Amino acid sequence: MDVHTQERSIEDLRIALQGRRSPAAQQLRLAIEATPRQPAETLRLAVLLQQDPLFAPYGLQLEAANSRTSAREFILLGKHAEALEAAQKALTLFQRASDNCPSPLAVRKLPEELGRTQSVAGEAYHGQQQWAEAQRTYESAFAHFAASGLLKSFLPETLGRYAEACARQVPPSKTRGVALSPSCLEWLRRFVQLEGQSSPKAQAIAKHVALKALGDLRPPASARTPAPSAALDTQAFAQAMDLYRARKFEQASSAFQALPETYPTSPHVLRSRYWRGRSLAQSKKPKEAKQVFQALVEDAPLTYYGLLAALASGEDLQARIASLTPKASTRDPVLTQCEFTRVERAEHFLSEGMGTSAAEELQGLATREVARFGSSFLLYLAMLHSEAGDDPVTFLAVSELLRRKHPSALTPFTLRLLFPPRHLELVQKYATEHQLEPALVLSVMKQESSFRPTAVSDQGAVGLMQLLPSTAEEMEKGIGKQLSQVEPNIRVGTKYLRKLLNHFCGNRALALAGYNAGMRKVANWRKQGLVQDELIDFIEALPVRETRDYVSQIIRNHYWYSSRVIDTKPLPMEHFWSSGASAKTQKGRCPP
């Protein structure tokens, strides 16, 4: 057996990883730090890196970027021949790097790097009045940027030079007409459509080519997206719940049973299985109900509905956590040579505390075609991503192990991968200050951002606890621009969570719903009678799936954080539904 595929204790592998050192990774970090203030030092280190086959792509990329910078400097000095030589050298170096197993991030950025370099070369050709070469090189740059979705990033001056290169190739009497080449017409029209005829870019083009010569400049009509309708599986679940609420329990049981069979990939599968068990219990079929609940716990022990099923059946979830330390292998036989290289580079980066670089190297391994890897290597990948601080991918890898029902998935080590106690000292500090349990704060952070400090939502919420800048400013003036920093985000996030708890009289479930959907929506749901007497009924009645999932997942997170990760005392479900003793009384709303 290959030494890399032999299984070893995952704890031993983690300790070994932290104990090694990598001179090449150190050189790369120094080279990155030297850019752009010390170009000579960057170039020296880049050349050294190219002597190491493992890190050669990084050295080639650094030298290429250095050469492109030199090309720009030559252009400023009017030395267009030297600029062209430097730009062409940069293009060659980028291509060589792409042939030597670069990181996935470098592969994705290659079109942009080539486009930027060709734009510089196009400017050098323009300076030499080599119009045809300038046109061709600019168009190659445009194509690369279009592939990267960056076409709008070209400056007006660049488009002006391109338009001039196009115009200079036709007789002066026709440059204001339609004698431009088809490719010139196509690209110039596209830029004007993107920016508008009154934009600075369009005006730069118009200095050399009449805009009317470009044809129809109206932006292409965008296809209308039809309004989404409720999915069939969602309708089926709602119908089954209606039967349950109408106390037609046998019919409800049949409807809940049918949903997973008809829609096996539906997000409502676990819900349906749990409510089928409830329906059977209400139908006076306790034995069948217990079988349904036990099967749900067996298949999904770490989920919210698995937790509910365990409570309903009297099963001890903690007994399912094996006390062993799982074993893992550092490689898998199905890895390609390039993938093998990327894992090795990631290990080097982690040994030097370069988590971001390690995560970049590992991109895609645990998220694409993950079924091809053995469980021992997948566990090792999960650990590497966790060490790199890449928690979202860690969660995906552990979820796959759970799906496979692999023994390593239900161990204390793997639970800490799935429920990491990130920033625990700060969490404990501000949780204590605002009379919150640390498990609740960690649970919110996990659900809000997967512990990514720089996460930004579509609505503009920022950071670990996903705070809107406007909300954060209400809590603490001047904090809006600091929300991507760990400590300010936790400090203000815990303060806001306490405010919500006070507003909802200490009811954690209502406060969490308010954190996700806003206090006004929760108030409206209460007016509509959607706030039920029982916690589970309240969660199921929430009309917005995102909020329903949010509250239920935080309850699940809280159970495992409080019972296994930072404490050993899981709190009862009522903890999320009763008024807490620390809730501040507000006249007319909260009981004394």
Side-chain angles (χ1 to χ4, degrees), residues 449 452-463 466 484:
S449 65
R452 292 172 295 161
T454 58
V456 180
S457 74
D458 293 339
Q459 289 74 38
V462 180
Q466 287 290 278
S484 292

Side-chain angles (χ1 to χ4, degrees), residues 353-365:
M354 301 169 68
T356 300
S357 297
E360 289 170 0
E361 286 289 350
L362 296 171
Q363 280 181 11
L365 285 178

Side-chain angles (χ1 to χ4, degrees), residues 170-196:
V170 296
S173 61
K174 295 184 179 181
T175 56
R176 310 300 287 183
V178 295
L180 299 176
S181 71
S183 60
C184 281
L185 284 171
E186 179 182 347
W187 280 112
L188 291 172
R189 183 186 304 118
R190 189 169 176 181
F191 280 114
V192 175
Q193 288 174 334
L194 276 173
E195 303 287 346

Side-chain angles (χ1 to χ4, degrees), residues 16 35 66 80 95 110 151-152 328 339 345 373 401 433 455 462 474 479 493 507 527 564 584:
T35 307
N66 187 284
H80 296 104
Q95 289 289 2
L110 180 63
L151 207 53
K152 283 192 171 185
E339 290 171 335
R345 280 201 297 252
F373 294 133
L401 290 171
E433 183 176 317
V462 180
E474 291 176 7
I479 197 66
N507 186 304
K527 290 178 182 178
R564 278 282 177 170
K584 294 180 181 178

Side-chain angles (χ1 to χ4, degrees), residues 191-262:
F191 280 114
V192 175
Q193 288 174 334
L194 276 173
E195 303 287 346
Q197 297 184 50
S198 60
S199 67
K201 294 181 183 180
Q203 296 308 306
I205 291 170
K207 290 179 182 179
H208 305 283
V209 175
L211 297 185
K212 64 181 181 180
L214 303 179
D216 186 359
L217 296 176
R218 291 174 297 179
S222 56
R224 290 187 176 182
T225 304
S229 57
L232 294 177
D233 59 333
T234 300
Q235 294 177 25
F237 182 84
Q239 290 165 2
M241 280 302 293
D242 288 342
L243 291 170
Y244 182 90
R245 290 174 179 137
R247 304 189 66 80
K248 298 178 180 179
F249 298 122
E250 292 204 8
Q251 291 174 263
S253 174
S254 297
F256 285 127
Q257 183 179 11
L259 190 147
E261 296 169 355
T262 308

